[in-house]
Amino acid sequence: MSKPLLVGLTGGIGSGKTTVSKVFQSLGVPVYYADDRGKWLMANDPILKEAIKENFGAESYTEDGGLNRAYLAERVFPNQAELKKLNALVHPAVGRDFASWAKEHEQMHYLLKEAALIYESGSYKQLDKVIVVTAPKEERVRRVLLRDMQRSREQVMAIIDKQLSENERKRRADYLIDNSGKVHVIPQVLGLDQKLKAQP
């Protein structure tokens, strides 16, 4: 039997990629949530934990072995070089974890990997196709402010500015899903599901 098609699903912050992933999931498609798994691996993968301690100090973890998120965020987010260094540790660990997860679902026609930084992390090279979820910038900002009460508009704009531009994501996508709120998402997902199942 041929291997499942590996399909990435990405989009800028507030584009609604998780909502779209849930629709695919409701159709029985296994979804790997890379950002959640990355957080889990940082807290549970012994090799990754050791590498983080080596690069960012023992205080990256609390006494009971939990991830010291506040310390890491304070150290990493204001500093591009430090963030790059952390991502260079986490992304390969996620890549390995995804590869073994994909092996467990070899009987499926296609699998989805939902991740914010598919292009930025280089993980698109592991994938056969990429779906990009799109929505206008103002709509995305509005959604994030509603969802994450602790964030300011400036913080959301700073995140958007750090991510790949919407045009660049669209240019590199194999498929687009319009989640602007003007078009129904479910028919778009159903159409894509049929297309992906028809792939040889």
Side-chain angles (χ1 to χ4, degrees):
M1 188 181 160
S2 60
K3 281 186 174 161
L5 204 65
L6 302 180
V7 182
L9 191 139
T10 193
I13 187 169
S15 59
K17 59 187 176 301
T18 305
T19 306
V20 172
S21 297
K22 300 266 189 249
V23 181
F24 275 103
Q25 236 176 334
S26 73
L27 299 174
V29 180
V31 180
Y32 178 92
Y33 292 95
D35 303 339
D36 292 344
R37 278 304 283 177
K39 286 174 193 151
W40 186 88
L41 290 165
M42 283 169 81
N44 295 283
D45 181 299
I47 297 166
L48 180 58
K49 282 174 83 165
E50 214 37 61
I52 289 171
K53 279 183 203 166
E54 266 175 41
N55 284 272
F56 299 97
E59 55 274 50
S60 303
Y61 290 86
T62 55
E63 277 178 21
D64 62 2
L67 187 66
N68 187 344
R69 289 187 193 285
Y71 163 79
L72 262 183
E74 208 173 282
R75 174 147 176 197
V76 164
F77 285 112
N79 184 330
Q80 266 312 101
E82 292 285 87
L83 182 58
K84 253 193 174 145
K85 199 158 76 171
L86 181 63
N87 283 339
L89 299 173
V90 177
H91 289 151
V94 170
R96 290 191 297 272
D97 187 61
F98 172 68
S100 62
W101 175 87
K103 271 205 178 89
E104 289 165 23
H105 296 86
E106 271 185 339
Q107 75 288 6
M108 303 303 294
H109 213 99
Y110 71 96
L111 304 172
L112 273 192
K113 179 184 189 177
E114 192 248 51
L117 304 174
I118 272 179
Y119 293 116
E120 295 90 331
S121 69
S123 69
Y124 69 94
K125 294 172 189 161
Q126 259 189 311
L127 304 166
D128 300 303
K129 300 282 178 193
V130 177
I131 301 165
V132 169
V133 182
T134 69
K137 190 189 275 188
E138 272 313 310
E139 176 58 20
R140 287 164 51 206
V141 172
R142 189 186 70 78
R143 286 175 190 166
V144 178
L145 292 176
L146 276 176
R147 180 187 77 194
D148 305 343
M149 298 297 193
Q150 78 285 5
R151 292 196 207 263
S152 68
R153 184 183 169 83
E154 289 67 36
Q155 285 173 315
V156 179
M157 292 306 284
I159 293 168
I160 286 174
D161 290 341
K162 275 188 187 145
Q163 292 184 335
L164 210 60
S165 76
E166 189 80 338
N167 285 340
E168 182 59 17
R169 260 195 304 269
K170 281 181 176 175
R171 191 183 68 73
R172 296 171 73 168
D174 295 293
Y175 305 106
L176 293 173
I177 287 184
D178 178 343
N179 191 28
S180 61
K182 296 189 173 109
V183 195
H184 290 302
V185 163
I186 291 172
Q188 295 180 71
V189 171
L190 290 172
L192 253 182
D193 177 62
Q194 291 305 312
K195 262 186 198 161
L196 292 166
K197 281 178 178 159
Q199 294 270 345

